[in-house]
Amino acid sequence: MVAVAREENNPTSIAITQFLDPAYWSWAVNDANGAALLQRGAKAILAYVVQRLEADGREVEEACGIIHDKDLREVWSDVQKALVVELKPTHIHGVIKFVSRAKSAPIPRLADVIGIEPQYVEKPGPGRYAYDNMLSYLTHAKYPEKYQYAPTEVVTVRGPDYLGVDAERRGAWLKGRAHVKKKRVAEDFEDMRERVLQGEITRDQIMLTDGLFDIYSRHTREIDDALSAYGQRRAYRAAAKLRAGEFSTQVVFVYGVAGVGKTRFASEFISAAITAAEAHGERWQIYRAATSNPLDDWRGEEVLLLDDLRASAMDANDWLLLLDPYNASPAKARYKNKGEVAPRLIVITATIEPVEFFFYARQKGSVDEALDQFIRRLASVVKVFREDDILRYLVQHIGKVEPYEWHKCTLEAGQHNGGVPGNIYHRQAPYAALTYGPESSVEHAADDAVDALLGGLAEHSRDVPLALLAGAAA
């Protein structure tokens, strides 16, 4: 009975995986001959492994293997501060089948004889096709996302030639890809869902990453629910911080003629802001609003980009509520109104300057608010223009100023400007008396303009020490 119980622990087949570094093989450590053997290829290595097993009393019926030198892996880069893809170190995969359990041994014993650690010796999984699956893995036949090795690269040391096995089983292996993929997706789903709930995976990453999209396509409702739940929690937490005075919303208005580079500059500033937040452990995300129903798909993202949004895209009251730096208010959406909206940063781009923009915004909705109420909500205004074929950025910080009159400029009858400012205008009577406007105006190059805005963001986000990074950049 003791002998039978012991034999039940003996696998009839095993798969081995190990780097070709001598440090990982007991018979190659401090042995020049062993180290040299590792450089002679899969056939020499497996032949020696089989020799060692049979010298220990094991009896091998089949043995084949391959060197993998084109596999990729994701690793963290301290330089790039991101996951990067690199080649895995060269390693060997081998499959060994014993004549019987009696002619095999427990995994620890086999590993000791082979010369590698037990965790690198794998017994087959459950099911009648377990050994077949190990053979298919040598070329990654069932794993289309991995590098596809040619069957001719697999060497056979004992038993049927692998080329014949591949020719016979290739069709079945290719059909098995769907099953392998489905099984892997099921195993990875819970981990992905948890990472979504922690804000570690965004919708953009899901749509642009093959592996994540595979999971999403099979668990769409659950992942969408997780994205929505995380967004709601993020929004409520931000609103609570805003009410507590831990931060206030920075609103930046960027304007200039069509095609001058407003969107590019806005994107550079937003990227710098998100990077500054990441340096202090904050995962800020960006929401790019649609031109109609702009907040329909908003899910609590910290940064709102309203790119070339028409002033009429929202009612005047909605503009006032959204741009309020100190109060969070519900936002109107087409299907279901959002909870409290409290972004860290709102960036608006337009082809007209802000007073004229909000003059038009004020026309929509039954709101009789002074234009001052819109302008006072802006933290900074950036005019993007070209001078001597060089892009320049006039950064103006908005504050209380001496009262001034704003005149809406219109063309004289029969004139048109073709979209180019500076043609013949006729000044009408003043449309508004304003008490908010530029406190300061400084012309910058792009990088310095971004730094100036980052300094303002640091003042608004007092709970995140962005000032350190903004100061370093300046």
Side-chain angles (χ1 to χ4, degrees):
M1 290 295 293
V2 174
V4 172
R6 285 177 179 171
E7 286 184 11
E8 286 179 351
N9 293 326
N10 299 352
T12 56
S13 59
I14 57 172
I16 65 173
T17 304
Q18 190 51 277
F19 297 139
L20 299 186
D21 187 329
Y24 294 102
W25 301 80
S26 62
W27 42 263
V29 175
N30 300 322
D31 185 332
N33 292 328
L37 177 63
L38 292 175
Q39 305 307 314
R40 289 172 54 192
K43 191 159 192 172
I45 297 169
L46 281 173
Y48 183 58
V49 166
V50 169
Q51 178 185 328
R52 289 174 62 88
L53 287 168
E54 295 192 331
D56 191 59
R58 313 305 123 206
E59 191 171 339
V60 175
E61 183 178 10
E62 298 178 16
C64 55
I66 185 174
I67 300 296
H68 279 190
D69 56 2
K70 300 178 184 67
D71 291 354
L72 302 176
R73 66 179 180 183
E74 280 190 333
V75 297
W76 178 258
S77 168
D78 285 329
V79 175
Q80 300 183 37
K81 302 299 181 186
L83 287 171
V84 298
V85 177
E86 68 173 22
L87 277 173
K88 275 186 180 180
T90 302
H91 54 284
I92 186 172
H93 284 285
V95 176
I96 296 173
K97 185 177 182 180
F98 299 97
V99 170
S100 64
R101 292 190 187 277
K103 293 299 183 179
S104 179
I107 292 291
R109 178 62 185 174
L110 294 175
D112 184 58
V113 174
I114 292 170
I116 59 179
E117 294 294 322
Q119 62 265 35
Y120 302 114
V121 179
E122 180 185 358
K123 64 181 181 180
R128 56 186 293 196
Y129 296 108
Y131 180 68
D132 189 63
N133 288 337
M134 291 195 298
L135 291 174
S136 72
Y137 191 80
L138 295 177
T139 59
H140 292 155
K142 291 186 178 182
Y143 299 84
E145 75 281 3
K146 296 179 179 289
Y147 183 83
Q148 298 296 294
Y149 291 91
T152 52
E153 296 181 72
V154 181
V155 299
T156 302
V157 172
R158 187 72 60 85
D161 189 276
Y162 187 85
L163 281 175
V165 175
D166 178 86
E168 180 182 341
R169 297 296 301 154
R170 172 67 59 163
W173 289 347
L174 294 180
K175 289 180 181 178
R177 286 182 172 186
H179 176 73
V180 169
K181 195 172 190 179
K182 183 177 180 181
K183 181 180 178 182
R184 187 181 69 252
V185 166
E187 292 171 349
D188 293 344
F189 162 63
E190 283 300 335
D191 175 67
M192 176 180 171
R193 180 176 177 275
E194 183 60 30
R195 292 176 66 193
V196 167
L197 287 170
Q198 296 302 319
E200 297 175 9
I201 297 178
T202 67
R203 183 175 291 276
D204 283 353
Q205 290 173 313
I206 292 171
M207 294 303 170
L208 297 173
T209 307
D210 291 345
L212 295 178
F213 184 78
D214 283 343
I215 301 172
Y216 176 77
S217 65
R218 289 169 171 79
H219 298 275
T220 304
R221 182 180 58 79
E222 295 96 325
I223 298 299
D224 278 343
D225 287 347
L227 287 165
S228 178
Y230 173 70
Q232 289 184 50
R233 184 167 187 259
R234 178 170 54 182
Y236 276 97
R237 291 178 69 181
K241 285 188 172 186
L242 184 66
R243 283 193 297 271
E246 295 184 36
F247 78 93
S248 57
T249 302
Q250 183 193 30
V251 183
V252 176
F253 192 102
V254 182
Y255 76 101
V257 297
V260 76
K262 302 181 299 295
T263 301
R264 183 171 64 251
F265 173 75
S267 298
E268 289 173 1
F269 167 47
I270 289 170
S271 295
I274 291 174
T275 299
E278 286 177 351
H280 298 286
E282 297 286 323
R283 297 191 192 101
W284 290 3
Q285 295 177 15
I286 180 175
Y287 172 71
R288 296 174 176 84
T291 54
S292 60
N293 305 110
L295 293 178
D296 270 9
D297 297 318
W298 178 77
R299 287 184 172 84
E301 289 86 352
E302 291 79 6
V303 182
L304 267 63
L305 174 59
L306 309 177
D307 188 26
D308 276 332
L309 202 66
R310 291 185 180 275
S312 60
M314 293 191 291
D315 289 347
N317 191 57
D318 294 328
W319 277 110
L320 291 170
L321 292 174
L322 176 64
L323 302 182
D324 191 330
Y326 305 106
N327 297 292
S329 301
K332 189 183 296 182
R334 183 172 29 172
Y335 301 115
K336 181 181 178 182
N337 287 351
K338 304 295 180 181
E340 294 179 307
V341 179
R344 295 276 179 162
L345 171 63
I346 299 175
V347 180
I348 305 168
T349 72
T351 56
I352 56 178
E353 52 89 22
V355 180
E356 185 171 1
F357 181 91
F358 290 113
F359 171 81
Y360 290 117
R362 185 171 171 269
Q363 309 306 307
K364 186 173 181 181
S366 55
V367 175
D368 190 24
E369 290 283 359
L371 275 174
D372 252 3
Q373 294 303 311
F374 295 90
I375 303 305
R376 67 192 292 266
R377 283 163 163 75
L378 305 180
S380 301
V381 173
V382 181
K383 178 182 179 181
V384 183
F385 62 99
R386 190 176 293 278
E387 186 177 85
D388 297 329
D389 209 31
I390 298 175
L391 276 176
R392 303 297 294 171
Y393 304 86
L394 181 67
V395 179
Q396 301 174 316
H397 296 301
I398 304 301
K400 190 82 169 176
V401 297
E402 290 295 322
Y404 66 99
E405 292 181 345
W406 176 73
H407 299 256
K408 184 176 184 299
C409 298
T410 59
L411 288 168
E412 291 184 351
Q415 300 292 330
H416 65 87
N417 70 349
V420 180
N423 284 6
I424 303 173
Y425 283 90
H426 172 67
R427 286 195 178 275
Q428 303 286 351
Y431 273 73
L434 301 175
T435 57
Y436 283 87
E439 283 186 318
S440 62
S441 297
V442 181
E443 195 174 302
H444 294 287
D447 291 345
D448 291 336
V450 167
D451 286 344
L453 296 177
L454 281 178
L457 180 61
E459 293 177 7
H460 283 269
S461 290
R462 294 174 293 277
D463 58 326
V464 180
L466 302 177
L468 296 179
L469 188 141

